[in-house]
Amino acid sequence: LPFSIPSLTQILYVWLSVTSGVNLVNSLLAGVISANVAIDGVLCVGALFLLFQTLKKIDYDSLEDIDQKSLACQAGKWALEEEIPVTFEYNDKNYEVATFAGGCFWGTELHYQRIPGVVATCVGYTQGSIDMPKYEQVCSGTTGHTEGIQMIYDPAVCSYSRLVTRLLDIINPTLLNRVGNDSGTQYRHGIYTHSKEQAETATEIIDQRQKKFI
């Protein structure tokens, strides 16, 4: 689908704004002024405001940049360009790009931030059917997205094989769409390679790890 089905949260906001709005109009037309009128007014405006927040697009330029050890701003630009580079030059030094999914992206990001050689990280949604989805849309399970983490790293300090190995160490690859207590398609695992070399490295490590489960 070129669009996603509204989330339960969005449906709730629409229902609340319509219901309270109708009650407000009926009260005003009947000339009734009471505390309920004020409550309906607040509920209507509040629900419309929250609904707008779920529909508002992300301003990537406002996100933190590499100076704050965040890849968010740059990754957002790559997403808009629909092209992620294999390498990225910053301050006259070449770094490589890696993308993974390992359950809740905040926890996964923290694991990678602790690895020497990982220069900057960011989290977001990937592998879905619509652009720039909201949290509520992803949680509805209708967009096909998964929670992912993207990073740039210094290959002279940290190898890609170490990054892949770390992912496999923090997940249980035998569980489908689940990491720890988090379950759902947005928590599925993923290794999203950006070059032939990365794909070969990931495949080799997965094959080695697979032997433990045979």
Side-chain angles (χ1 to χ4, degrees), residues 75-93:
K77 294 176 181 177
W78 292 338
L80 292 176
E81 296 169 356
E82 298 184 350
E83 184 175 357
I84 301 174
V86 177
T87 60
F88 176 69
E89 184 178 341
Y90 180 71
N91 283 346
D92 298 323
K93 193 166 185 177

Side-chain angles (χ1 to χ4, degrees), residues 78-199:
W78 292 338
L80 292 176
E81 296 169 356
E82 298 184 350
E83 184 175 357
I84 301 174
V86 177
T87 60
F88 176 69
E89 184 178 341
Y90 180 71
N91 283 346
D92 298 323
K93 193 166 185 177
N94 284 322
Y95 299 107
E96 294 189 8
V97 181
T99 307
F100 303 101
C104 174
F105 45 36
W106 300 120
T108 308
E109 182 182 38
L110 182 59
H111 283 291
Y112 282 108
Q113 288 174 334
R114 292 171 172 170
I115 297 178
V118 173
V119 177
T121 63
C122 69
V123 299
Y125 302 114
T126 185
Q127 307 298 306
S129 59
I130 65 170
D131 295 332
M132 294 183 283
K134 291 291 185 178
Y135 172 78
E136 293 83 3
Q137 293 174 304
V138 174
C139 289
S140 72
T142 62
T143 69
H145 286 86
T146 186
E147 295 195 7
I149 172 175
Q150 195 163 83
M151 69 197 75
I152 55 173
Y153 65 98
D154 186 349
V157 179
C158 174
S159 66
Y160 185 71
S161 62
R162 182 177 182 183
L163 300 179
V164 174
T165 300
R166 186 55 181 156
L167 176 71
L168 296 179
D169 286 342
I170 62 177
I171 65 171
N172 182 344
T174 65
L175 297 178
L176 179 64
N177 300 331
R178 180 180 175 183
V179 175
N181 293 323
D182 296 322
S183 61
T185 56
Q186 71 268 34
Y187 298 116
R188 64 186 182 274
H189 317 137
I191 300 174
Y192 308 111
T193 59
H194 300 288
S195 68
K196 179 180 178 181
E197 291 74 19
Q198 285 189 356

Side-chain angles (χ1 to χ4, degrees), residues 32 42 53-54 58 72 84 110 151 170 206:
V32 177
V42 171
Q53 294 299 311
T54 68
I58 299 172
I84 301 174
L110 182 59
M151 69 197 75
I170 62 177
I206 290 173

